[in-house]
Amino acid sequence: MAKGARKYRLNPQTLLYETEKVPLGTRLSWIFGFVAGSLLLSFFWFWFYSSVLGLESPKTLILKKQNARWTSRIEQMDRQLDAAQTTLEGLRIRDDEIYRNIFGMNPIAPEVRNAGFGGTNRYAYLDVISDNSQLKKTALRLDRLTKQAFVQSKSFDDVGALSKRAGDMASCIPLIPPVNPDPTKYRLTSPFGYRSDPISGVSTFHAGIDFAMDQGNPIYSTGDGTVKTVSYELGGYGNSVVIDHGFGYETRYAHMHMIYVVEGMKVKRGECLGTSGKTGKVTGPHLHYEVFYRGDHVNPMDYVDMDMTTEEYMTMVHKVESESKNVLNKPFERIR
C-alpha cells in the first residue's frame, strides 16, 4: 500500500508490514505522468468541446457579449453623429448663403471648414487599431465634427459682430454717382462689359463705366468707407483711388488729375476724393469708375442712382463737406 512517499510491504517471515522508501526518480515520473495526463485530458476536452460540440469557451462568450455591448454603443453614437452632421450642414448652408451673403462676407472655404490639424499625429493612440475598425472611424469622425462645429461657431461670432454695424450698411453701399449728375457736365461713354479697346482695337472686358468730362471736375465717394489704396501710375489706371466700403463692397476711381485723400483715411458718401483727369492709359479726360462685390467686378450701373437731381446731390455734398474733418479734400474751401 502506498502512502505519500512511502511504500509498505508484508514481511513473510515476521508477518509484519515494513516501510520501503520510493526512489526519487520513481516519484518524479509519477508526478510528470499525472501532469501530462491532466494536460492531455484537458486538451482532449477542449477539442471535444469546441470542435465536436461546436461550443465556445466561457471566456470567449464573455468577451463576445462585452464586444456586442460596445458595438451597440458605437452604432448609437454614429446615429447621433449623423443627426449632428445634418444639423451642422444646415447651419453651414444658412451661414454661407444667407447670413454671410447679407453682410457681403465671403463663404468660408471648404478647405478651412474641413481642414485637419497639421504639425503632429493627433491620432497616434489609434494606430494600434485597424483602419477598418468602427471604433477608429467613429473617433476620427467625432474629432472632425468637433472642429467643424468650432469653425461654424467662430463664423457666427464674426457675423454677429458685423451685424451690430448693420445700421451703417445703408450708408456704406455705393449708391450715388461719383460725379455731379448734371448731364451738361459729363456723358457716359464706355459701358460695363466687352468692348473694342479704343487704343488697340481688340475686344476686351471693360470692368467699369466711363464718365467723359473736362479735366478738373470733382469726384466724390459713392459710399462711406476707408481709403484702401492711392496709386500713381504712368500707364494703366494712372492716378487712382480704391475705397473699401465694408460689407463686401469696394470702388475704384481711375485716371484722376488731383487726389485729395490718403490711404487709411475715413471718408463719407459725397466726400470729395479729387478731380477728374487723363492720367494713365487714356485717349481723353474722363473718370473710370468700378464697383467690386466680394472681390468680383459688378456692373456699376446697378449701383448708381442716375435719377438723383443736381440740387439733391450738391446739398448732400455741401453737408458732408461742412461736417468733414479731413482738410485735404475740401476743394471749395481751398478755392475760397
Side-chain angles (χ1 to χ4, degrees):
M1 161 179 265
K3 184 180 180 180
R6 296 181 180 184
K7 185 176 182 183
Y8 296 90
R9 177 177 296 182
L10 178 65
N11 189 331
Q13 297 178 355
T14 63
L15 300 177
L16 298 174
Y17 282 99
E18 298 177 350
T19 59
E20 180 182 5
K21 289 187 176 181
V22 179
L24 178 61
T26 302
R27 283 184 289 165
L28 290 177
S29 64
W30 289 350
I31 294 172
F32 176 77
F34 177 76
V35 172
S38 299
L39 291 175
L40 183 62
L41 182 62
S42 299
F43 177 78
F44 174 78
W45 170 247
F46 180 79
W47 172 81
F48 182 79
Y49 187 86
S50 59
S51 299
V52 178
L53 299 181
L55 302 176
E56 295 178 333
S57 67
K59 184 175 182 180
T60 301
L61 291 174
I62 293 173
L63 291 175
K64 281 194 171 183
K65 288 182 179 179
Q66 292 177 344
N67 182 68
R69 285 197 299 269
W70 283 110
T71 299
S72 177
R73 292 179 182 178
I74 292 175
E75 289 175 351
Q76 182 181 5
M77 181 180 292
D78 275 336
R79 290 192 292 271
Q80 293 173 340
L81 290 178
D82 287 339
Q85 189 166 22
T86 300
T87 301
L88 191 60
E89 178 63 14
L91 293 175
R92 181 200 67 78
I93 293 174
R94 287 199 297 271
D95 184 32
D96 283 344
E97 298 183 8
I98 301 177
Y99 306 141
R100 299 181 71 87
N101 191 39
I102 287 174
F103 297 108
M105 303 171 70
N106 290 322
I108 297 178
E111 55 269 23
V112 175
R113 287 189 182 273
N114 303 319
F117 298 86
T120 182
N121 183 8
R122 302 181 64 254
Y123 311 109
Y125 68 98
L126 295 175
D127 288 344
V128 295
I129 305 176
S130 170
D131 290 339
N132 294 325
S133 168
Q134 188 65 27
L135 175 60
K136 187 171 186 178
K137 292 178 180 179
T138 301
L140 297 176
R141 185 183 180 192
L142 177 60
D143 198 51
R144 285 193 296 268
L145 281 177
T146 300
K147 179 182 181 297
Q148 290 171 1
F150 172 79
V151 172
Q152 185 60 72
S153 175
K154 182 66 172 61
S155 176
F156 281 152
D157 289 342
D158 295 340
V159 172
L162 192 59
S163 67
K164 295 178 181 179
R165 297 180 48 223
D168 303 331
M169 190 171 180
S171 61
C172 290
I173 296 177
L175 290 179
I176 67 169
V179 297
N180 187 330
D182 183 351
T184 65
K185 296 183 177 295
Y186 75 92
R187 60 186 178 89
L188 288 173
T189 52
S190 297
F192 178 84
Y194 284 92
R195 62 164 188 177
S196 177
D197 187 278
I199 295 179
S200 65
V202 178
S203 178
T204 56
F205 181 75
H206 188 236
I209 56 177
D210 291 345
F211 294 84
M213 60 178 61
D214 293 336
Q215 180 171 300
N217 278 281
I219 296 172
Y220 304 99
S221 174
T222 56
D224 294 0
T226 303
V227 178
K228 182 178 180 180
T229 61
V230 174
S231 303
Y232 298 90
E233 303 175 4
L234 293 178
Y237 290 116
N239 300 342
S240 65
V241 174
V242 174
I243 297 180
D244 183 356
H245 300 279
F247 304 99
Y249 291 95
E250 291 183 359
T251 52
R252 173 181 281 129
Y253 312 78
H255 309 304
M256 298 170 65
H257 176 61
M258 299 290 294
I259 295 178
Y260 300 149
V261 294
V262 295
E263 292 181 0
M265 178 182 290
K266 302 289 185 181
V267 295
K268 292 286 188 180
R269 176 182 289 159
E271 197 156 359
C272 187
L273 305 176
T275 59
S276 60
K278 54 180 179 179
T279 58
K281 182 183 175 182
V282 295
T283 56
H286 72 281
L287 169 67
H288 174 80
Y289 176 63
E290 296 178 2
V291 178
F292 303 83
Y293 180 62
R294 296 200 326 201
D296 295 326
H297 284 98
V298 292
N299 190 344
M301 292 304 295
D302 295 335
Y303 296 88
V304 174
D305 181 11
M306 299 306 296
D307 294 330
M308 195 173 189
T309 66
T310 301
E311 291 74 17
E312 292 175 331
Y313 193 91
M314 294 312 298
T315 298
M316 175 195 63
V317 167
H318 289 305
K319 182 177 183 296
V320 171
E321 185 182 27
S322 64
E323 296 174 351
S324 176
K325 297 179 180 179
N326 299 326
V327 177
L328 289 176
N329 56 359
K330 291 188 177 182
F332 300 111
E333 187 172 288
R334 284 196 301 275
I335 292 173
R336 288 195 296 267

